[in-house]
Amino acid sequence: MASIKDVAVEAGVSVATVSRVLNGHPSVSPGARARVLAAVEALGYRPNAVARSLRTDQTRTLGLVISDVMNPYFTELARSVEEEARALGYSVIIGNADERPDLQDHHVTTLLDRRIDGLLVSPTDGGSPRMLEAARAGTPMVFVDRWIPGVDVPVVRSDGRGAVRDLVAHLYRLGHRRLAIIAGPAATTTGRERVDAFREALAEYGLPLPDDRIGQGDFQAESGRRVTEGFLDLPEPPDVVFAADNLMALGALDAVRARGLRVPEDIALAAFDDIRWFVHTDPPVTAIAQPTGDLGRAAVRALVDRIEGRTGESVTLPARLVVRRSCGESPSGTAHPPSPSPVRRSTP
Amino acid sequence: MASIKDVAVEAGVSVATVSRVLNGHPSVSPGARARVLAAVEALGYRPNAVARSLRTDQTRTLGLVISDVMNPYFTELARSVEEEARALGYSVIIGNADERPDLQDHHVTTLLDRRIDGLLVSPTDGGSPRMLEAARAGTPMVFVDRWIPGVDVPVVRSDGRGAVRDLVAHLYRLGHRRLAIIAGPAATTTGRERVDAFREALAEYGLPLPDDRIGQGDFQAESGRRVTEGFLDLPEPPDVVFAADNLMALGALDAVRARGLRVPEDIALAAFDDIRWFVHTDPPVTAIAQPTGDLGRAAVRALVDRIEGRTGESVTLPARLVVRRSCGESPSGTAHPPSPSPVRRSTP
DNA sequence: CCTCCTCGTGGAATCGATTACACGGAGGAT
DNA sequence: ATCCTCCGTGTAATCGATTCCACGAGGAGG
């Protein structure tokens, strides 16, 4: 592959001049510029990004470590991240942690070894050593969706409190009183937060949330199935199961179906994270939708701000309730979220 | 960040010795080795992959250019590719082309600029200039799923002919006679092949496939909706719609539902590419399943073979029919594919 | 006419690794 | 005792870019 030296020879100038032309420096004569451009064209020359990175100490590359590529929520996030990064002149390297801390560490290490300019992370568990180290060492970093408390890194996430409250109101109005939740891993912030928000909302309606109606999942479909089976085995099974992510909701659907029960007649179902497929499931699933695309874009902007010396602040965007059929038909027949007041947070 | 020079100073040896220890060269005394390792530990040193790549002219990185990340088929492929690559000591950089030739070219260029060791491509259209150029220039390359005829590059794909024949047999047995297909872009091999296979299978049963029952889609949901609406507007709408990928099937489902029609009672539906969500849609969708994981792994092995100087052959794996409810209930009540003979290709 | 800038250009150092080559010392063979 | 090997180690070239510095030419100003 042709190098800058070949171009210099072909154009009859020095490598310095070639480099200046390529980087748009002002002090190059029109004649030299033309000859260099012609040589570049003739040789099909493309600058070696590896060499350039070594010299300039920047790769114009962002690392994105997500918890699970097979989760539509994260692929949508990844897509918007790549889009915004591209618009800003950066590439993105995605690392899939598969909800495994060791894999997350592997990817963080690899990414750091490649000297990416900044890191976007949705941490799988409380804190993998390499990541904390990188954060402390001052690697530009931003957390998306999930974060690690006590680490001084901007967080771009969405706040589901309002939407969860709307959901509980919706369920209450439909007559459901025994509510259960499939929680995410306690080590993740989203795992804890969603349970907390749910519990608080229940408290507002004077509804209890006993321990046997809090199932421990791991954000994967299989755990949703297992937990739901536990719920169904209870002496008094719940009226509703709320899954803290879309994959566990899928598992729950499986478990319910395996018993020959129907949603929502026998048991209702709701999920955190809205995805296209929920429109097409049987029945369509009521879910809490995050503004995923906005989240990804905001995260990239915050990270690039940090990289380029600007501040790069945390961002919190509201989630909203999307009512479908999986919790039962709205008595009024309308499908609007039943927020008592027109709170901006939950309904536009 | 600490460099090899710092480690050398700390350990009281030369950089050459440090490098030798790090690369497991035999001629290093145990004492020196111990001191180097201690220094590495003390400084938290990690080799700079950029510098190493510049010198050795290899990045131990594979590029993967896929047509659409939001398509579960491709995310599963990406996942298995990354897994196998990791096992072989390579990293993967994913480029999402979004079915757009210009984006595909952008990613190929970026990947090549980064001097990836090899390229895995599922081309969006007949041939983007940069890619063809790279193939001609001898960049190790392997096509996955789709390919470009006439380009001398190994292809790892799955053959759906047998499964499509099984599907048509299944439909015939259920009494369907007016079959329609939503095709993929004619510029892609999978787009053409699936139509051809379908037409051939229909011919075996003496069924016609008039032009107005071949709709032109682009592998995206929206096109599936549009084409299906066209079908429903026909004086004699088809009994069955076969979508050449899962996203277009989703669009078809939307269109059918928007008219207040039911699947499979009013019109049956089948899809190429089986994904988890098809189990949960209303109704569950009959689909042709590719061995996606095997495809990804085989592609990586073929590519790494090429990179490391071995041959790296093309691979074709059979797809198989997965019968669900979207084409109607099997008269016999069983859910087995109706292959007349126990062909290995379609039923295990 | 001399001096001083400015402009375009090239030489060479540099980034952080790998590796060919040289060299000194220890040990074995004669 | 001498010579030859081998082993461990260091010096320096190298990969392909960027960029500081110096230099010569030409124009402006005194």
Side-chain angles (χ1 to χ4, degrees):
Chain A
M1 191 153 262
S3 82
I4 195 171
K5 226 177 275 181
D6 304 315
V7 177
V9 171
E10 173 86 8
V13 297
S14 72
V15 294
T17 300
V18 176
S19 175
R20 279 189 273 255
V21 171
L22 264 26
N23 294 288
H25 274 260
S27 48
V28 178
S29 67
R33 160 165 287 116
R35 269 175 298 139
V36 167
L37 260 18
V40 164
E41 186 66 26
L43 298 171
Y45 168 76
R46 291 251 78 210
N48 183 328
V50 174
R52 190 200 294 256
S53 294
L54 176 60
R55 182 59 234 248
T56 60
D57 201 34
Q58 54 160 322
T59 50
R60 295 205 72 83
T61 301
L62 270 26
L64 169 64
V65 180
I66 54 177
S67 332
D68 183 6
V69 252
M70 304 289 281
N71 184 329
Y73 168 72
F74 284 112
T75 77
E76 193 180 337
L77 187 71
R79 186 194 141 125
S80 64
V81 161
E82 197 275 335
E83 238 166 47
E84 183 72 8
R86 180 151 34 81
L88 265 39
Y90 285 81
S91 303
V92 176
I93 304 185
I94 303 172
N96 171 31
D98 245 339
E99 302 284 1
R100 282 168 43 191
D102 61 318
L103 253 187
Q104 170 180 288
D105 240 27
H106 166 87
H107 283 118
V108 171
T109 305
T110 311
L111 258 12
L112 255 24
D113 284 356
R114 286 171 184 254
R115 303 299 193 267
I116 44 135
D117 294 340
L119 203 51
L120 236 38
V121 189
S122 171
T124 54
D125 82 335
S128 85
R130 275 248 122 59
M131 226 194 47
L132 297 176
E133 202 178 297
R136 219 171 302 118
T139 310
M141 204 189 276
V142 166
F143 288 137
V144 223
D145 184 48
R146 313 179 185 172
W147 79 97
I148 300 178
V151 180
D152 183 28
V153 161
V155 182
V156 174
R157 64 189 194 97
S158 103
D159 180 10
R161 287 203 127 59
V164 169
R165 204 176 311 128
D166 291 345
L167 171 65
V168 171
H170 170 65
L171 296 171
Y172 190 92
R173 221 163 56 111
L174 291 172
H176 299 303
R177 294 295 179 270
R178 258 202 314 279
L179 314 194
I181 183 169
I182 311 178
T188 62
T189 45
T190 46
R192 285 193 304 277
E193 276 190 342
R194 291 170 192 178
V195 176
D196 290 348
F198 193 61
R199 182 183 283 116
E200 280 174 30
L202 256 53
E204 288 185 25
Y205 286 83
L207 297 176
L209 185 62
D211 283 349
D212 60 1
R213 291 214 293 267
I214 305 179
Q216 193 55 55
D218 60 7
F219 285 144
Q220 302 284 348
E222 181 47 37
S223 72
R225 181 198 319 260
R226 183 173 32 75
V227 169
T228 305
E229 274 167 6
F231 287 154
L232 295 173
D233 286 336
L234 251 28
E236 290 193 320
D239 303 331
V240 189
V241 173
F242 174 44
D245 90 335
N246 67 74
L247 259 20
M248 297 194 299
L250 207 61
L253 214 50
D254 279 349
V256 170
R257 195 160 299 169
R259 299 260 175 136
L261 301 174
R262 284 162 319 155
V263 176
E265 291 80 358
D266 298 310
I267 189 165
L269 180 69
F272 208 103
D273 286 342
D274 188 28
I275 54 171
R276 324 194 29 171
W277 300 92
F278 277 163
V279 177
H280 301 278
T281 49
D282 175 25
V285 176
T286 292
I288 291 176
Q290 299 192 46
T292 318
D294 294 336
L295 242 32
R297 282 183 287 273
V300 170
R301 281 195 299 270
L303 182 57
V304 170
D305 277 352
R306 291 240 136 175
I307 292 171
E308 300 180 351
R310 278 158 277 140
T311 346
E313 298 296 343
S314 291
V315 176
T316 304
L317 266 24
R320 61 175 228 289
L321 177 66
V322 177
V323 173
R324 299 206 183 86
R325 281 214 338 269
S326 67
C327 298
E329 222 54 70
S330 246
S332 67
T334 66
H336 287 102
S339 32
S341 58
V343 189
R344 160 79 74 57
R345 173 188 282 120
S346 51
T347 43
Chain B
M1 193 155 257
S3 84
I4 196 172
K5 225 176 273 181
D6 304 315
V7 177
V9 171
E10 172 86 8
V13 298
S14 73
V15 292
T17 300
V18 176
S19 176
R20 279 190 273 256
V21 170
L22 263 27
N23 292 288
H25 274 260
S27 51
V28 178
S29 67
R33 161 165 285 115
R35 268 175 300 141
V36 167
L37 260 18
V40 165
E41 185 68 25
L43 297 172
Y45 169 76
R46 292 250 78 211
N48 183 328
V50 174
R52 190 201 294 255
S53 295
L54 176 61
R55 183 60 234 249
T56 60
D57 201 35
Q58 53 159 324
T59 50
R60 293 205 73 83
T61 300
L62 271 27
L64 169 65
V65 180
I66 55 178
S67 333
D68 183 5
V69 252
M70 304 289 281
N71 184 329
Y73 168 73
F74 285 112
T75 77
E76 194 179 338
L77 188 70
R79 188 193 139 124
S80 65
V81 162
E82 196 275 336
E83 236 166 50
E84 184 71 8
R86 182 152 31 82
L88 265 39
Y90 285 80
S91 302
V92 176
I93 304 186
I94 303 172
N96 172 32
D98 247 340
E99 303 284 1
R100 281 168 45 191
D102 62 318
L103 253 187
Q104 170 180 288
D105 239 26
H106 165 87
H107 284 119
V108 170
T109 304
T110 312
L111 258 11
L112 255 25
D113 283 356
R114 288 174 182 253
R115 301 301 194 265
I116 45 137
D117 294 339
L119 203 50
L120 235 39
V121 189
S122 172
T124 52
D125 82 336
S128 86
R130 275 249 121 59
M131 227 193 47
L132 297 175
E133 201 178 297
R136 218 171 304 117
T139 309
M141 203 189 276
V142 166
F143 287 137
V144 224
D145 184 47
R146 313 179 184 173
W147 78 99
I148 300 178
V151 179
D152 182 29
V153 162
V155 182
V156 174
R157 64 186 196 100
S158 104
D159 180 10
R161 287 205 127 56
V164 168
R165 205 177 311 128
D166 290 345
L167 171 66
V168 171
H170 170 65
L171 295 170
Y172 191 91
R173 220 162 57 111
L174 291 172
H176 300 304
R177 293 295 179 270
R178 258 202 314 281
L179 315 194
I181 183 168
I182 311 176
T188 63
T189 45
T190 46
R192 286 193 303 276
E193 276 191 342
R194 290 170 192 177
V195 176
D196 291 347
F198 193 60
R199 180 183 286 115
E200 280 175 31
L202 255 52
E204 286 184 28
Y205 285 84
L207 298 176
L209 184 62
D211 284 348
D212 61 2
R213 290 215 292 268
I214 305 179
Q216 193 55 54
D218 61 6
F219 284 144
Q220 302 284 349
E222 181 47 37
S223 71
R225 181 199 320 261
R226 183 174 32 76
V227 169
T228 305
E229 274 168 6
F231 287 155
L232 295 173
D233 286 338
L234 251 29
E236 290 194 318
D239 302 332
V240 189
V241 173
F242 174 45
D245 90 334
N246 66 75
L247 260 19
M248 295 192 300
L250 207 61
L253 214 48
D254 279 350
V256 171
R257 196 159 301 169
R259 300 258 174 140
L261 300 175
R262 284 163 319 152
V263 176
E265 291 81 356
D266 300 312
I267 188 165
L269 180 69
F272 210 104
D273 287 342
D274 188 29
I275 54 171
R276 323 194 30 170
W277 300 93
F278 278 164
V279 179
H280 302 279
T281 49
D282 175 25
V285 176
T286 292
I288 291 175
Q290 299 192 46
T292 319
D294 293 337
L295 242 33
R297 282 183 287 274
V300 170
R301 280 195 299 269
L303 181 57
V304 170
D305 278 352
R306 291 240 135 174
I307 291 171
E308 299 180 350
R310 278 159 275 140
T311 345
E313 299 296 344
S314 290
V315 176
T316 304
L317 266 24
R320 60 176 229 288
L321 177 67
V322 177
V323 173
R324 298 207 182 86
R325 284 215 334 270
S326 66
C327 298
E329 221 56 67
S330 246
S332 66
T334 64
H336 287 104
S339 31
S341 57
V343 187
R344 160 78 76 56
R345 173 189 282 120
S346 53
T347 44

